Structure formats: structure tokens, C-alpha cells
Amino acid sequence: MRTVASQALVGMCFLGAASAAPKSVSTTTASTPLVTPPPLLPRDGDFVITLANLHTAAIMTANGDQQAIVAPQETNIFVIPTGWSGRVAMYEQGYVISDRASLLEASFLADSSGDAVMAIDVSYVDAFTVPIVCKCNGEVALGCNVDFNPTCPQDLKLNDKTCMNPYRDEQGVPSDNIFGACAGMAYTYPTDDQASKMDIPGCSRNLDCCVGTAC
């Protein structure tokens, strides 16, 4: 698996959950203008990931101490500054996980020219919890929308929504990959390196990601 430096989600900003459909905004009359904080917007050069929840239940996104709940049909926006690297765990709300979850891993580091380049992958190496797919201009770039929980062997079920990966600590290509349907698009074993995507053409500063089999 591609090495990703462990960092807390400092600088990778949750812009909050926004409904897939715009909501009406109430107005008030006041003698002086109401002052509100400006919205948190991407700076020039940041990488923006839009994450839509098409799963059948609310999901949790977690990195370090930062967590967010994304309800079904809602969207979160992540803003990644140059120099950030880390991983975001995603799993169904209500199921406790430790180090076993589907991951979105990314490194947005400057190359020799000084420009930041995104390296990103979906990983099921620790475990599978929810399907994750990322698209560039409507085309699947990485990840896989297969749900492995219904077919998870009983001895690998951490709970009903977590299937542990038996190859996490093994080297080489497994002879019987239970996550094989996603091989090469998501990390299904530690050296499944085709799953790592670098500077995706047409999406050097943004990517649309999605959780669920409907992605």
C-alpha cells in the first residue's frame, strides 16, 4: 500500500454537510445589517474533494479527532491545502471501528517544480466498511462500488458492517482475494499498487467522490 504520512485533519477543512437540494433561506429585517462569518472557501491552489453519501444510511468520516456525520443524499466538501497527507476513514454510523475501515488516502505534496500534485487511493487493506468511488468528469477514476459485507466470511466479520481484510499483514498477491472484484481500483492487499492514482488528467484540483453501491 502506498505510504501516507499520518497527520490529523488539520487544514483539510470540513465545509459542513449540504443538502443535495438547495434549502430556502429565511430573511429578517433589522435596523443594521446582520454580520456573519464568511464561508470557508478554497484558496487558489487547494484541492477540493466533494463527497456524496449515496449509501442507505448515514456515514461517519473520521481522521484523528475530527469526525463528521453525512446523512443519506447529503454532501460534504473537503478542502486540502498543499502539503497535506493523510487518510479519512468512512463507515456506517452506529458501528464502532478502531483501525478497520474503508479509507480514502491522499497526499497533496509539491513536486520538483513547486506545484502540488495529488496522489490518491481508496483502500480496503485494513477492512471493508462502505464502498467508495471517485469520479473525474463523470468517469470512474478510482474506487469500487461493490458491497462486500453480504459475502464476508463469518470469521472475518468484525460486525455486520465491517469485513476485516485477511491479507493486511501479508506480502505478495493473495491466491484467493475476497475483495478481488475491486483489485486495481482500490487497495485490496498491501501491494495492489495499480489502485494508487497520481495527478488524474482533467482533475488536478478537484474530484467527486461517493459512498454507496449506487455510485
Side-chain angles (χ1 to χ4, degrees), residues 44-47 80-84 107-119 198-199 204-205:
D44 187 36
D46 287 344
F47 195 96
I80 306 176
T82 298
W84 190 89
S107 293
F108 192 48
L109 306 178
D111 61 13
S112 58
S113 69
D115 294 328
V117 175
M118 175 57 76
M198 176 80 71
D199 197 21
S204 62
R205 289 295 179 272

Side-chain angles (χ1 to χ4, degrees), residues 52-214:
N53 180 13
L54 299 187
H55 189 50
T56 54
I59 62 168
M60 299 291 298
T61 63
N63 179 289
D65 294 332
Q66 290 204 5
Q67 296 184 339
I69 299 172
V70 188
Q73 305 304 315
E74 287 190 343
T75 299
N76 259 16
I77 297 174
F78 304 124
V79 178
I80 306 176
T82 298
W84 190 89
S85 62
R87 54 182 57 179
V88 180
M90 302 184 195
Y91 53 97
E92 188 168 318
Q93 185 186 18
Y95 291 87
V96 178
I97 62 150
S98 52
D99 61 342
R100 298 281 190 169
S102 299
L103 301 172
L104 185 64
E105 303 179 310
S107 293
F108 192 48
L109 306 178
D111 61 13
S112 58
S113 69
D115 294 328
V117 175
M118 175 57 76
I120 189 167
D121 68 79
V122 169
S123 177
Y124 303 148
V125 167
D126 291 331
F128 173 88
T129 45
V130 290
I132 304 173
V133 174
C134 294
K135 296 181 179 181
C136 176
N137 297 321
E139 297 293 328
V140 174
L142 63 146
C144 179
N145 68 350
V146 176
D147 184 0
F148 292 105
N149 282 317
T151 58
C152 183
Q154 194 63 37
D155 62 333
L156 296 176
K157 284 190 175 184
L158 187 61
N159 54 53
D160 288 342
K161 299 295 182 178
T162 307
C163 186
M164 296 184 293
N165 192 326
Y167 322 115
R168 181 169 76 162
D169 301 317
E170 297 182 6
Q171 299 299 316
V173 180
S175 58
D176 184 19
N177 188 351
I178 63 170
F179 300 150
C182 293
M185 293 300 289
Y187 271 96
T188 60
Y189 54 92
T191 56
D192 194 358
D193 293 324
Q194 290 186 7
S196 182
K197 311 301 179 182
M198 176 80 71
D199 197 21
I200 300 170
C203 289
S204 62
R205 289 295 179 272
N206 65 280
L207 203 59
D208 294 324
C209 296
C210 173
V211 171
T213 57

